[in-house]
């Protein structure tokens, strides 16, 4: 996938991630005079060699460009190709883990999932080409710079991808809201695993669910019948992190 898309992010964390990486083409950097960003030493160091892309604006003009009050005085416009093709030959370690997203359409959720998975040491997130949110400015913004440090993959068919993973010795664990499943902490995440999550409303599609080797659940004690998907992912991937640390 060689086509780059234009994106825009604001705030120190996202700006630092983009400007300190060599993966992106920087189109413009807009800084508000007297802002937190202008006074930040790391930002100052990163923008000193970007003079041709750098624009300083007074507060009034800057706020016309960026209406968000939490911008910290910096906007970075850049071009990137975030979505990679899945190449299993890159991954040979025994405890590799992918998170597979099935039918999640909220960019806020995907942004938080990227941030959580990067913090938990997940090797990559697999997104379907159809029926799911992709990478947007909102997704990048919520991820708070984590997008720069985790692999994001797009596949045409989730079920076929699961079959490919199985042929490469992966165990597939589907997270399901069901009383008949093993609880999430009873699963073994220390091997080569891919963990499948669906949306709160629809869950995992039937054909995808049938392709899973195991189904697991996070039982609810309150009156709400399901967790937000990003919260569910957080519980599972940090349980994996705990198990790896305990080995």
């Amino acid at each position: 996938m060689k086509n780059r898309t234009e994106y825009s992010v604001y705030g120190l964390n996202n700006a630092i991630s983009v400007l300190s990486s060599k993966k992106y083409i920087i189109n413009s950097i807009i800084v508000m005079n007297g802002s937190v960003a202008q006074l930040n030493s790391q930002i100052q160091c990163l923008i000193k060699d970007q003079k041709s892309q750098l624009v300083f604006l007074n507060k009034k003009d800057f706020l016309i460009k960026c209406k968000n009050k939490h911008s910290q005085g910096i906007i970075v416009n850049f071009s990137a190709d975030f979505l990679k093709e899945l190449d299993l030959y890159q991954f040979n370690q025994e405890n590799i883990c992918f998170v597979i997203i099935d039918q999640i359409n909220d960019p806020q959720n995907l942004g938080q999932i990227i941030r959580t998975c990067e913090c938990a040491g997940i090797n990559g997130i697999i997104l379907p080409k159809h029926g799911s949110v992709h990478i947007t400015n909102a997704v990048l913004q919520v991820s708070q710079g984590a997008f720069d440090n985790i692999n994001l993959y797009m596949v045409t068919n989730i079920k076929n991808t699961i079959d490919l993973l199985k042929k490469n010795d992966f165990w597939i664990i589907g997270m399901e809201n069901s009383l008949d499943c093993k609880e999430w902490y009873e699963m073994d995440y220390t091997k080569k695993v891919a963990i499948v999550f669906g949306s709160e409303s629809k869950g995992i599609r039937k054909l995808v669910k049938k392709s899973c080797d195991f189904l697991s659940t996070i039982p609810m004690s309150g009156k709400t019948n399901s967790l937000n998907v990003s919260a569910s992912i957080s519980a599972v991937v940090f349980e994996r992190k705990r198990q790896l640390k305990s080995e």
Side-chain angles (χ1 to χ4, degrees):
M1 299 182 186
K2 298 180 180 179
N3 296 325
R4 291 180 180 267
T5 303
E6 291 188 4
Y7 298 98
S8 179
V9 294
Y10 56 82
L12 293 181
N13 288 339
N14 283 323
I16 289 170
S17 290
V18 172
L19 294 174
S20 59
S21 176
K22 296 182 179 179
K23 302 175 187 175
Y24 317 119
I25 297 173
I26 306 301
N27 300 322
S28 66
I29 307 164
I30 305 171
V31 179
M32 185 175 76
N33 287 323
S35 64
V36 172
Q38 187 184 24
L39 300 174
N40 182 276
S41 60
Q42 193 170 359
I43 292 291
Q44 289 176 4
C45 181
L46 289 169
I47 65 176
K48 68 180 181 180
D49 296 324
Q50 302 277 0
K51 292 181 180 179
S52 62
Q53 288 82 24
L54 188 58
V55 178
F56 286 98
L57 296 176
N58 60 42
K59 184 175 182 180
K60 180 181 177 180
D61 291 337
F62 181 87
L63 291 177
I64 292 173
K65 291 278 188 183
C66 182
K67 295 180 174 61
N68 190 289
K69 295 180 181 178
H70 305 291
S71 67
Q72 298 176 297
I74 187 166
I75 308 167
V76 180
N77 299 305
F78 65 103
S79 298
D81 180 12
F82 283 108
L83 297 171
K84 305 175 185 293
E85 293 182 352
L86 187 62
D87 182 2
L88 294 178
Y89 295 106
Q90 298 174 358
F91 305 102
N92 297 314
Q93 64 263 42
E94 287 299 313
N95 56 6
I96 185 172
C97 178
F98 293 119
V99 164
I100 299 176
I101 304 298
D102 188 34
Q103 295 187 309
I104 293 177
N105 295 303
D106 184 349
Q108 300 286 323
N109 271 340
L110 180 55
Q112 188 58 55
I113 289 165
I114 291 172
R115 187 176 182 181
T116 298
C117 287
E118 194 276 334
C119 289
I122 299 302
N123 298 89
I125 298 171
I126 298 173
L127 302 168
K129 188 173 183 179
H130 305 290
S132 180
V133 66
H134 293 156
I135 305 302
T136 65
N137 289 342
V139 170
L140 299 180
Q141 196 60 47
V142 173
S143 77
Q144 287 295 297
F147 58 81
D148 188 53
N149 298 306
I150 190 166
N151 292 316
L152 303 170
Y153 301 100
M154 180 187 286
V155 298
T156 303
N157 187 295
I158 290 290
K159 183 184 179 301
N160 290 347
T161 299
I162 287 175
D163 291 340
L164 177 63
L165 289 168
K166 285 184 172 182
K167 289 178 182 178
N168 285 270
D169 301 321
F170 279 79
W171 293 101
I172 313 299
I173 302 172
M175 297 305 300
E176 181 70 8
N177 188 20
S178 171
L179 295 175
D180 298 327
C181 302
K182 283 189 175 183
E183 296 195 16
W184 84 104
Y185 58 83
E186 296 178 317
M187 306 304 297
D188 182 0
Y189 302 105
T190 62
K191 309 300 182 185
K192 293 173 74 171
V193 295
I195 312 169
V196 187
F197 295 86
S199 66
E200 298 100 295
S201 58
K202 297 179 181 179
I204 303 170
R205 287 172 291 178
K206 288 184 179 179
L207 285 177
V208 174
K209 191 189 301 184
K210 286 182 180 178
S211 299
C212 295
D213 298 300
F214 308 100
L215 294 176
S216 184
T217 189
I218 302 174
M220 303 292 106
S221 297
K223 293 183 179 180
T224 305
N225 64 2
S226 68
L227 281 174
N228 175 283
V229 64
S230 62
S232 297
I233 289 176
S234 180
V236 173
V237 297
F238 278 97
E239 169 59 21
R240 172 183 176 268
K241 187 174 177 64
R242 185 198 67 79
Q243 289 184 13
L244 289 173
K245 191 174 181 179
S246 299
E247 279 193 312

